[in-house]
Structure formats: structure tokens, C-alpha cells
Amino acid sequence: MSIDPIGRLAAVPEFTEFPTVDELTARTEQIAQTHPDIATIRRIGTSRLGEPLSCLTIRGGDEHAIVFASVHPNEPIGNLTALHLADTLCSDPELREELGYTWHIIPCIDPDGTRLNEGWFAGPFERTFYARRFYRPAPDEQVEWTFPYEHKKAYFDGVLPETLALMRLIDETKPALMCSLHNGELGGIYYYLSRPAPQLYETLHAIPATLGLPLDTGEPEVPFVQRYAPAIFEMIRSSDQYDYVESLGLDPSLRETGDSSGAYAEKYGTFTLVTEVPYWSHPDADDQSETTERYSDVIRARAAGLAELSTVLSETLAAVTPDLTAESPFLRASRAFIPGFARSAEQDEGRAGLPENDRPATVGERFGCADLVHCFRLRYGGMLLRTLEGELAIGNATPTIRAEHTALLARYEDWCDQARKAITAEVIPIGKLVAVQFGALLAAAAHLRDLNPEA
């Protein structure tokens, strides 16, 4: 690898907060105005609420690379990564020439959803403060998971305007490289690749190590994903999830989303990288030593936690539904996510009984399973509270809504206390997280150039 991604990590500055959508727009326009000889902005689409979707193109070689952020609007680290990438490419002609790509950078692909998270962008970066101001769209309103999809009895064509904008850009450029910028919440660093790339793994491991950050080698996001190397996985595909759920004897047709950007771009031979970075770290995320607990019991404990969460939120939502008047994004998201917790619990119960899971759990697996319950309580309990508070804010303070809000708020505060007592999380400097994504992105770009130096 001729380009040294590790050597460029130190140049990433520190950041104290995340930019708002308006600030992102202004900063992107400033980059284009400062470098008019190589950088241009063009509109590639329109959001559901009428906001222009802009792409910054930085001219280089004949091969194309697409980088986009805010694909999940509660994940703004990529916004800063996109800006830092654009600044670096524009100011470093040697790097631009050596990489040899024309870059298409979208700093915010979901401005509507991102605006609903701006309440926590300036901090404090404490987990419960974040969760009370959290918004994540319903699955069928997520840009990343609304690409066309057909598999067995599943069919999805509910493509969002934002997704359509990405589809057109992918079809137009047929990118050699695509990076969808994501982040998690608590744990360590992990990656998804659209195909194996063994020459890349050492560098992907070295990037967080250089910055003093742990990998996430515990429980993977989904149980069916193929592990290429520690904390490096094959891209999640909807067809794989369908087949896995079907193998457990459950109904796979309940999934109401499409496929991913990476799956859509595969027809062009695109190499897709997803770098997942957390806001908070914990050493247990990268601890592969064995515990005295059985992995099957750890899975069952997670199932029990998710089942309880499903019951609490389902009963609250059912109680207030007759009185609700506002079809808010928080309500749509709550209606979509809450039934999924019961299905996830059922899936966990099914796989807990598989013979291969009757083994000692690692510390990382135990940590990951327990923390997922805390994460979902804080995230989705917080969103349901925002649903009820929206009704109260417009004067719809019926006795039922007031009573259910009071009860859920008390339960939520108890969940927050439990999370604080269970896990002491360390806030990671934002600049380090941007550096991980930036370094991994450069490493992937350089890897592809090394494979095809004549392109």
C-alpha cells in the first residue's frame, strides 16, 4: 500500500460538537467556493420534506468513489468525516492524484431525520442526554434499507426520494468504491466489507489501535453475518436475514424493508466499506476471554430483556393510540420498532437452543448482549416519550396521555439508572472517531488502487 493511512490520522483535528444540517450545507458550499477549479456542488435529489440533496464532486481520475453520511440520522460522525475528506482532497493534490478517483461526497443524505437529532449535537455527550433527544426513522423510512429488494416471498419497492437520489448517482458513476458512513453507540470499532479483502485487515485493525481505541470483537450486530476477521464482517444482506429467520422456523416475511446501498451497487463490482465507530468505549467490547456463563444463557437473558421492553412499550402505545392526533415521525418509528423487539426475543430464544451455542460466552459477547438491552431501552423508550411529549406540546393532554407519559417517564428514568450502574462508559474524542473512518476510507481506496494500478 503506497499511501500510509496510519500516518495521516494525526492530521485529523479535534471537534467539540456535531454540525447542524445548515452548518453542513454552509461548510460544503464554502469548500466548493474555495476550490472552484476541482470542486463543484450539484443537486441530486429532494428530501421528503423538500430539502435539496447536494453532492460535492471533486474531480480526479476516471474511476469514481461515492461517500455519504447521515444514512442513519442519529449517526453524525460521518458528517464530519465527509467534510474532512473533502478538505483533505481539495488541499492535497498529491493525495488526490495518487488515489486517482473522482469523488462524490454527500455530507448529509437524510437532512429531515438529522434535524430531529440536533438537540444533542452540542452535548453534553452523556448517554441518557443523547437518548432523550434521539430519533431513528422507522425501517421503511431509512435511506440505507430502502433499496429495491426481491427474495423468495419478499418484495420491496418503497424507494424513498433520498434513496432514489443515491440510486441515480450509483447508476451514473458505477463506483469502484463506496463508503456508507455509520456509527454505533457503545463498545468498539468494527467494519463491514462487500467482499473479502485480506490485504486490508491488518490496516483496519491497526487504525483504531494507533488511536488507542478497542475493536468490537464480541457479539455481532446480527447472528447470521459472516466474520472475515476479528471485528471485520461481510456486509449484511436482506436475503441472508430472510434465510436465517426462515431456518429458525419463524416468519421471514415480517421484515418490511428493502436492501442496502452496498447490495444495490454490487452489480457494478463496487467495493463497499462500512466503518462502525461508537461514541463511548468500554474495554469489555474487545475482551475475548471466556466467562463462566454459557453463551446460550447470555442469549436467553437478552431475549428476556427485549421481551420485557416489548411488553412495556407495546402496552403504553396501545393505551394512548385512541387519543393520538399527530402522525409524527416519532410515532411512525415507535409503531415500527416496538413489535420488532418481541420478534428479536423469539429469534434469540430459537438460537439459544442451537447446539453450537452451548459453550462458554466470552466477556465481549456477554457485554454486547447485555448492552443491547440497555441501548434499546434508552433509544426507543426515549422516542416513545418524544411521541407523547409532542401530543402534550400541541395541547392534546388527555387523561390517558398524561398518565401514560408519567408512568413511562418513571420507568425510563429507572432504565437510565440501571444503564449507568451497569456500564461505566468512556466518552471517545470525536476527532478520534473521524480519524478511524477517514483512515479506513483511505485504506480501502489505496487497496483498490494497488489491486488495479492501471485503472
Side-chain angles (χ1 to χ4, degrees):
M1 186 178 295
S2 55
I3 295 170
D4 178 20
I6 305 294
R8 291 181 171 270
L9 300 180
V12 178
E14 185 46 70
F15 304 94
T16 58
E17 59 187 54
F18 297 105
T20 64
V21 173
D22 291 340
E23 290 167 343
L24 273 173
T25 300
R27 184 72 187 98
T28 306
E29 291 174 351
Q30 182 184 34
I31 292 172
Q33 291 167 4
T34 305
H35 304 278
D37 53 328
I38 57 169
T40 56
I41 291 179
R42 64 174 171 135
R43 182 170 176 170
I44 59 170
T46 307
S47 78
R48 280 156 285 172
L49 294 182
E51 186 129 4
L53 302 174
S54 297
C55 175
L56 177 69
T57 295
I58 301 171
R59 291 183 292 280
D62 294 334
E63 293 277 3
H64 295 266
I66 296 176
V67 178
F68 53 97
S70 279
V71 65
H72 289 133
N74 61 297
E75 301 176 2
I77 293 168
N79 305 138
L80 291 169
T81 304
L83 291 180
H84 180 71
L85 172 67
D87 272 328
T88 303
L89 291 171
C90 287
S91 60
D92 190 338
E94 290 184 3
L95 175 65
R96 194 169 64 245
E97 183 177 351
E98 189 167 1
L99 289 173
Y101 295 99
T102 288
W103 295 83
H104 307 276
I105 302 172
I106 307 169
C108 185
I109 191 61
D110 185 1
D112 302 344
T114 300
R115 291 186 187 280
L116 297 180
N117 280 282
E118 289 180 351
W120 60 268
F121 278 9
F125 297 113
E126 195 274 328
R127 199 176 188 187
T128 53
F129 182 88
Y130 155 82
R132 278 295 275 120
R133 294 152 183 83
F134 169 94
Y135 167 70
R136 189 177 180 92
D140 64 352
E141 296 183 35
Q142 294 179 12
V143 179
E144 184 63 275
W145 291 107
T146 49
F147 285 79
Y149 168 61
E150 183 176 8
H151 180 69
K152 296 182 178 177
K153 296 181 180 179
Y155 186 85
F156 181 89
D157 61 0
V159 176
L160 303 176
E162 297 88 342
T163 309
L164 181 60
L166 274 178
M167 289 170 60
R168 287 197 298 253
L169 184 62
I170 292 168
D171 291 337
E172 173 192 333
T173 62
K174 302 175 176 57
L177 172 66
M178 187 167 71
C179 294
S180 177
L181 298 171
H182 290 250
N183 63 262
E185 290 185 8
L186 191 153
I189 313 298
Y190 59 103
Y191 307 92
Y192 291 107
L193 307 178
S194 56
R195 58 178 180 265
Q199 305 96 319
L200 196 53
Y201 302 161
E202 183 178 352
T203 304
L204 293 181
H205 286 159
I207 289 169
T210 300
L211 296 164
L213 300 178
L215 293 171
D216 198 320
T217 57
E219 185 74 2
E221 252 187 298
V222 291
F224 55 83
V225 69
Q226 180 182 350
R227 191 191 306 262
Y228 289 149
I232 301 175
F233 303 94
E234 181 183 28
M235 199 75 67
I236 297 174
R237 292 178 174 83
S238 293
S239 56
D240 293 337
Q241 181 177 27
Y242 186 108
D243 294 343
Y244 173 75
V245 173
E246 189 177 48
S247 74
L248 295 176
L250 304 175
D251 184 0
S253 67
L254 294 175
R255 178 184 173 92
E256 297 176 345
T257 59
D259 224 329
S260 69
S261 57
Y264 184 79
E266 281 183 346
K267 59 188 175 183
Y268 298 118
T270 303
F271 182 78
T272 300
L273 164 73
V274 171
T275 303
E276 296 271 8
V277 291
Y279 303 117
W280 305 279
S281 69
H282 194 283
D284 284 1
D286 194 19
D287 191 338
Q288 300 182 64
S289 58
E290 291 186 352
T291 69
T292 58
E293 297 178 58
R294 308 304 291 175
Y295 182 45
S296 55
D297 291 337
V298 167
I299 296 172
R300 288 191 179 96
R302 183 171 84 169
L306 292 176
E308 178 198 32
L309 175 62
S310 174
T311 298
V312 172
L313 298 188
S314 295
E315 290 178 351
T316 301
L317 186 57
V320 299
T321 291
D323 289 0
L324 298 179
T325 60
E327 187 68 17
S328 71
F330 308 112
L331 175 58
R332 295 195 302 271
S334 295
R335 283 173 174 161
F337 283 115
I338 291 171
F341 302 141
R343 294 197 295 270
S344 294
E346 190 177 12
Q347 289 180 31
D348 278 350
E349 284 289 351
R351 74 186 183 97
L354 299 176
E356 60 265 29
N357 292 327
D358 184 20
R359 58 169 177 80
T362 67
V363 172
E365 288 169 338
R366 181 178 64 186
F367 170 81
C369 284
D371 186 65
L372 183 79
V373 176
H374 292 300
C375 171
F376 282 8
R377 284 172 173 175
L378 299 186
R379 275 185 173 193
Y380 301 109
M383 274 214 301
L384 187 53
L385 281 170
R386 292 188 78 176
T387 302
L388 301 183
E389 287 161 358
E391 293 286 342
L392 296 174
I394 60 174
N396 186 27
T398 68
T400 299
I401 290 177
R402 285 188 287 108
E404 292 297 329
H405 175 261
T406 299
L408 181 58
L409 183 59
R411 188 64 172 264
Y412 187 81
E413 289 173 348
D414 181 55
W415 286 339
C416 290
D417 288 340
Q418 290 182 41
R420 291 190 193 99
K421 291 174 183 176
I423 299 170
T424 302
E426 180 182 347
V427 180
I428 302 173
I430 297 172
K432 286 190 174 185
L433 300 174
V434 173
V436 171
Q437 289 189 333
F438 177 68
L441 198 155
L442 288 186
H447 165 70
L448 291 181
R449 300 307 298 179
D450 289 345
L451 289 179
N452 189 17
E454 302 303 320

